[in-house]
Amino acid sequence: MIAMELVETAWASTTHALLTIAPVLAAEPTPTGINTDGVVSFFASKVAPILLAVLGVIFIGRASRGEISKVLTSSAIAIVGLAFIAGAATLFFVGDYLIKLIFE
C-alpha cells in the first residue's frame, strides 16, 4: 500500500514537472532574420567580379571576330545595366536615410 502511494505521488510530481517544462522545451527559437549586409557584400565581392569577367571574355571574343558593332551594343547595354544596379543601391541608402529621418 505504501509503495502504491509513493508511485502515485511520484507520478503526479513528474506529470506536473513535465507540463511545466514542456512549453519551454517546445518553444521555437526566435528568428534572427536575414543578414542583408552579408548578402550584399557577398554579391559585391564574389558574384559581380565574376559576371564582369565573363562579359569581358565575351566582348573580347566578339571583337576578335570583327563584330565591333555587337561589342559596342553589348557594352552599352552592360553599362546601362550597371547604372541601374548603382541606382538601386543608391535608392537603398536613400530609403534607409529617409526611414531613419522619419521614425527617429
Side-chain angles (χ1 to χ4, degrees):
M1 190 69 154
I2 296 174
M4 191 65 132
E5 290 177 6
L6 184 62
V7 169
E8 287 177 4
T9 305
W11 184 262
S13 298
T14 305
T15 305
H16 177 67
L18 287 176
L19 290 176
T20 305
I21 295 174
V24 174
L25 294 177
E28 296 181 13
T30 56
T32 57
I34 298 174
N35 182 6
T36 55
D37 293 332
V39 172
V40 170
S41 66
F42 172 77
F43 277 107
S45 65
K46 304 283 191 287
V47 176
I50 292 171
L51 291 176
L52 289 174
V54 168
L55 281 175
V57 169
I58 291 171
F59 292 163
I60 290 171
R62 282 186 175 177
S64 68
R65 291 192 310 233
E67 299 175 358
I68 301 299
S69 64
K70 289 184 180 180
V71 171
L72 291 176
T73 304
S74 299
S75 298
I77 291 170
I79 290 171
V80 169
L82 289 174
F84 276 113
I85 291 171
T90 303
L91 288 177
F92 177 75
F93 292 114
V94 169
D96 186 43
Y97 171 74
L98 290 175
I99 288 172
K100 287 181 182 178
L101 183 67
I102 292 171
F103 292 110
E104 289 184 2

